[in-house]
Amino acid sequence: MPSSPYPDEDALREGFARGEEAAFRNIVEGYGGRVLNTCLGMLRSVPDAEDLTQEVFVQMYERRDQFRGEARLSTWIYRITVNLCLAHLRKARRQKRFAFLTSLWGDDSTGLRHDAPDYVHPGILAEQREEAGLLFRAIDHLPDKQRAVFVLVYVEGLPQTEVAATLETSVGAVESLLQRAKQRLRQELGPHFSERRTIEPKETPPDGI
Amino acid sequence: MKAEDADGTLFNSLHSLKKAEAPPYLYAQVRQRLASRQETEVRLSSGWALRLAVVVLALLVADLWVWQADRSQPAQEQTTAYAYPVENYYF
């Protein structure tokens, strides 16, 4: 976080609640990267993720009087992010479903809705791109809540307690969603893993070296 | 290698991703979006106020016109033919 007059999160939160411009700027600059990465993990589209990142902070600013301070600031920001991402995914699915009907009326204002292209996360090394691409494509096929939990835990590295607070559910429910997500990913990526298992022993060095 | 290890390694490798960085102009973009949204809200609310004023004014004018027309027309005397019931007579 950049140098700021707010020594800790409580001070930042209070400053934000008082409507201080500096506090809002600190929040945007401090949490912008995390919000962007969560959006990228959920949406796999750079323009959509950048657009939603801005929208998260706009909504946060507009709803600042609704923040009661019971949850951590980061939890609240993640909650807005996940809700916006899920709403965006639902809207995209709806548009795709009704694309045929809207095309009959000649309304192409929304443009064509394609599946996400083979998006490559900026942090993925060249040699891992194929593998990560497979994984992200499989994540796309997860149901919304499972996808949110998986991204928050495995991409953002949040503890399950914070994920539970973010999604306003119990830790048990988060564990269950995560298990189901992993199970589904294993099924989908099964052939890939079996391939890895057959290849990897050849790469191990011989005994004694 | 067990399946659990293989996918565990793959899932856990997501932790080690170098994260994407938010653009340095993110705050400026957010402020710009907030400003344009507030401007739109003001324009919309003033637009609705204007439309409401036009509708109220139109109703007042119509009411005034009806009242004027009503006043300018002299009252006409009307004779009403009453038919009183007659005993033991049916129509």
Side-chain angles (χ1 to χ4, degrees):
Chain A
M1 201 171 282
S3 62
S4 77
Y6 305 99
D8 55 16
E9 198 191 281
D10 286 340
L12 188 61
R13 198 172 54 199
E14 283 164 17
F16 177 62
R18 283 194 299 270
E20 288 173 16
E21 194 60 38
F24 183 54
R25 189 185 189 115
N26 267 268
I27 289 170
V28 173
E29 288 173 354
Y31 289 93
R34 285 187 247 180
V35 170
L36 178 65
N37 278 287
T38 309
C39 292
L40 280 172
M42 295 276 291
L43 307 175
R44 289 207 310 131
S45 156
V46 177
D48 287 353
E50 286 179 348
D51 183 58
L52 275 193
T53 302
Q54 291 179 35
E55 191 57 34
V56 165
F57 291 110
V58 167
Q59 292 218 357
M60 186 190 171
Y61 187 81
E62 286 177 341
R63 296 184 196 171
R64 64 190 181 281
D65 52 337
Q66 291 174 20
F67 181 52
R68 298 183 297 273
E70 289 163 1
R72 292 176 59 192
L73 191 62
S74 59
T75 304
W76 189 51
I77 295 172
Y78 276 122
R79 190 178 299 161
I80 297 175
T81 308
V82 169
N83 286 339
L84 276 177
C85 285
L86 293 180
H88 180 87
L89 289 169
R90 278 194 293 269
K91 189 179 168 192
R93 272 200 297 269
R94 219 168 29 239
Q95 281 180 346
K96 204 170 158 187
R97 205 175 299 143
F98 292 107
F100 172 70
L101 282 177
T102 49
S103 68
L104 286 179
W105 274 282
D107 176 22
D108 58 350
S109 56
T110 51
L112 285 171
R113 304 296 306 186
H114 294 296
D115 287 333
D118 287 346
Y119 159 73
V120 179
H121 194 286
I124 296 171
L125 298 173
E127 60 268 26
Q128 294 173 338
R129 284 195 170 176
E130 192 187 345
E131 202 169 60
L134 275 170
L135 181 56
F136 274 107
R137 267 199 299 278
I139 292 172
D140 265 1
H141 298 153
L142 290 176
D144 288 349
K145 280 223 160 175
Q146 289 180 24
R147 185 196 301 209
V149 168
F150 188 85
V151 168
L152 289 176
V153 171
Y154 278 104
V155 180
E156 279 305 297
L158 294 187
Q160 293 189 2
T161 45
E162 188 164 358
V163 176
T166 301
L167 300 177
E168 294 178 288
T169 185
S170 65
V171 177
V174 168
E175 273 174 18
S176 163
L177 283 165
L178 195 60
Q179 283 307 319
R180 274 184 281 157
K182 284 163 71 174
Q183 184 67 33
R184 206 171 162 139
L185 289 174
R186 264 181 221 126
Q187 281 171 3
E188 192 147 337
L189 298 169
H192 174 68
F193 284 134
S194 60
E195 192 181 306
R196 269 170 68 114
R197 283 197 294 278
T198 54
I199 290 169
E200 277 186 10
K202 289 178 191 168
E203 293 169 349
T204 53
D207 290 334
I209 296 176
Chain B
M1 182 181 264
K2 287 191 295 181
E4 184 68 31
D5 293 341
D7 60 25
T9 311
L10 184 60
F11 295 158
N12 287 325
S13 69
L14 291 172
H15 277 311
S16 56
L17 289 179
K18 180 179 164 287
K19 305 292 183 189
E21 285 180 13
Y25 43 83
L26 177 63
Y27 178 71
Q29 286 178 322
V30 170
R31 289 299 333 172
Q32 196 178 357
R33 193 177 274 217
L34 264 169
S36 70
R37 194 159 297 183
Q38 281 161 357
E39 194 182 311
T40 311
E41 275 171 18
V42 168
R43 213 172 42 234
L44 273 179
S45 61
S46 63
W48 279 112
L50 189 69
R51 277 178 216 178
L52 187 67
V54 167
V55 169
V56 169
L57 194 68
L59 284 173
L60 275 173
V61 167
D63 198 36
L64 192 70
W65 182 73
V66 169
W67 180 74
Q68 191 78 15
D70 200 31
R71 274 198 60 172
S72 63
Q73 195 174 10
Q76 291 175 355
E77 284 184 17
Q78 288 185 343
T79 52
T80 310
Y82 293 103
Y84 294 99
V86 179
E87 205 176 353
N88 297 327
Y89 183 82
Y90 298 97
F91 291 100

